[in-house]
Amino acid sequence: MKKYINQGSKDTRSGFGAGMTELGQKNENVVALCADLIGSLKFDDFKKNHPERFFQIGIAEANMIGIAAGLTIGGKIPFTGTFANFSTGRVYDQIRQSVAYSDKNVKICASHAGLTLGEDGATHQILEDIGLMKMLPGMTVINTCDYNQTKAATLALADHHGPAYLRFGRPVVPNFMPADEPFIIGKAILLNEGTDVTIIATGHLVWEALVAAEALEAKGISAEVINIHTIKPLDEEAILKSVKKTGCVVTAEEHNIIGGLGESVSRCLVQNNLVPQEFVAVNDSFGESGTPDQLMEKYGLNSAAIIEKAEKVLARK
């Protein structure tokens, strides 16, 4: 019986909300800050149960980051919440100076990341955020794949000291990671063993990688699938162990091809064990308005694209 099967689709942002609800009960130092998006970030239960630890900052994201940095001085563990575009691009200077440079224990939590924000269009669909955040010294960068993993990551971040960026999404997606799967920051998860090609995926593309691996198996191609939920620090040991066996890699992410997971993997390979690599990512462009499914299809972020790249990289071995 396969371990990683769809248990019923849920949105990843609700996993974040469930994690915050549990943290509110377990850790009195956890506080939440929101930039006028309580419902979108699923902060409702936390606010209801712990009003003294919830701060509605309004549409003032830079101020939210500054307040969060200040709260850490008194021993609080602030979790900030807004859309990924506003969590990073709009407040990059504040994050760089007040959080990263100052090594403050702030958890920057970002919903509605990538193309799957959908109809709101390119102005809201940030595809550069992983690159922006991973370049900051000391910043941990996490990109979760489903409801269960997002909840687990939220809980884990409360026990992790230091600046962190947690990226998740808006749409309903397959929920396939077991609820009791250990979430260890910086430790990849091997989902499917294979010998011909390594598929390294993050976020919404992890499920698509599993679907692709099943289709490739029907073609006689053995694909190893690795879930990289932590992009920084990167689990280089897991990557190198896999490519030593398969000799080629496909990376898959809902992010710009420049600056994301694929480039982090490339650096690891160049420094340690250079093998052919193909990329499934947005090819240096902005998004546009459309449904999540339409956009993932148009920009080649699905199992069909992973299969195509796997066959291409196999030909390069």
Side-chain angles (χ1 to χ4, degrees):
M1 182 177 177
K2 293 183 178 179
K3 181 179 179 182
Y4 301 102
I5 58 174
N6 187 0
Q7 306 159 33
S9 295
K10 293 183 178 182
D11 53 313
T12 50
R13 57 181 172 150
S14 287
F16 170 69
M20 289 303 297
T21 296
E22 188 169 327
L23 282 177
Q25 298 163 353
K26 291 171 56 175
N27 192 330
E28 63 181 12
N29 284 323
V30 169
V31 297
L33 298 85
C34 188
D36 202 32
L37 288 167
I38 295 173
S40 293
L41 269 291
K42 306 299 182 181
F43 273 136
D44 309 74
D45 285 345
F46 190 97
K47 179 188 176 186
K48 177 182 177 182
N49 297 323
H50 312 284
E52 76 287 357
R53 287 193 271 143
F54 180 84
F55 303 93
Q56 172 59 277
I57 309 302
I59 305 174
E61 293 85 356
N63 193 30
M64 178 173 70
I65 295 297
I67 293 171
L71 284 166
T72 66
I73 297 172
K76 300 303 181 185
I77 307 171
F79 283 69
T80 68
T82 184
F83 291 176
N85 193 22
F86 310 143
S87 288
T88 56
R90 178 171 288 181
V91 294
Y92 196 69
D93 180 58
Q94 285 73 25
I95 293 172
R96 183 181 187 274
Q97 309 290 21
S98 299
V99 177
Y101 176 69
S102 303
D103 192 33
K104 292 295 189 290
N105 192 31
V106 175
K107 316 307 175 185
I108 301 162
C109 304
S111 181
H112 294 57
L115 288 174
T116 48
L117 172 56
E119 291 85 348
D120 285 359
T123 57
H124 285 52
Q125 295 163 350
I126 193 161
L127 296 166
E128 317 90 63
D129 54 317
I130 290 174
L132 287 170
M133 301 306 283
K134 78 177 187 179
M135 287 190 294
L136 291 170
M139 181 69 70
T140 294
V141 179
I142 296 172
N143 186 38
T144 51
C145 66
D146 68 357
Y147 172 96
N148 284 341
Q149 190 169 79
T150 307
K151 180 181 178 182
T154 304
L155 296 173
L157 279 176
D159 296 324
H160 169 80
H161 185 80
Y165 178 59
L166 175 60
R167 182 191 207 245
F168 45 94
R170 175 189 191 185
V172 169
V173 294
N175 186 38
F176 59 95
M177 296 297 293
D180 59 353
E181 180 84 37
F183 188 92
I184 303 172
I185 294 172
K187 188 69 174 176
I189 301 173
L190 178 62
L191 302 184
N192 191 67
E193 292 193 38
T195 56
D196 295 328
V197 59
T198 299
I199 302 173
I200 299 173
T202 189
H204 293 148
L205 271 293
V206 176
W207 175 253
E208 297 296 323
L210 285 172
V211 173
E214 190 169 351
L216 287 166
E217 184 179 359
K219 295 184 174 190
I221 298 170
S222 176
E224 185 144 295
V225 179
I226 300 175
N227 175 354
I228 295 281
H229 51 71
T230 307
I231 295 171
K232 182 187 177 186
L234 188 68
D235 190 347
E236 296 190 356
E237 182 180 352
I239 293 168
L240 294 171
K241 180 180 179 180
S242 182
V243 300
K244 185 176 180 180
K245 177 171 51 172
T246 65
C248 62
V249 179
V250 174
T251 52
E253 59 191 309
E254 186 187 349
H255 188 270
N256 194 338
I257 194 170
I258 299 169
L261 168 67
E263 284 198 350
S264 290
V265 171
S266 292
R267 176 176 52 80
C268 172
L269 297 178
V270 167
Q271 291 179 320
N272 295 280
N273 184 13
L274 186 59
V275 300
Q277 178 181 354
E278 291 290 335
F279 299 76
V280 173
V282 176
N283 190 22
D284 194 25
S285 73
F286 291 100
E288 60 189 288
S289 183
T291 67
D293 287 344
Q294 287 172 334
L295 293 167
M296 296 292 268
E297 172 73 24
K298 176 168 182 176
Y299 289 86
L301 306 181
N302 54 28
S303 60
I306 295 172
I307 292 166
E308 178 186 344
K309 295 293 187 177
E311 292 174 334
K312 183 177 180 180
V313 82
L314 279 165
R316 295 174 54 202
K317 283 174 67 172

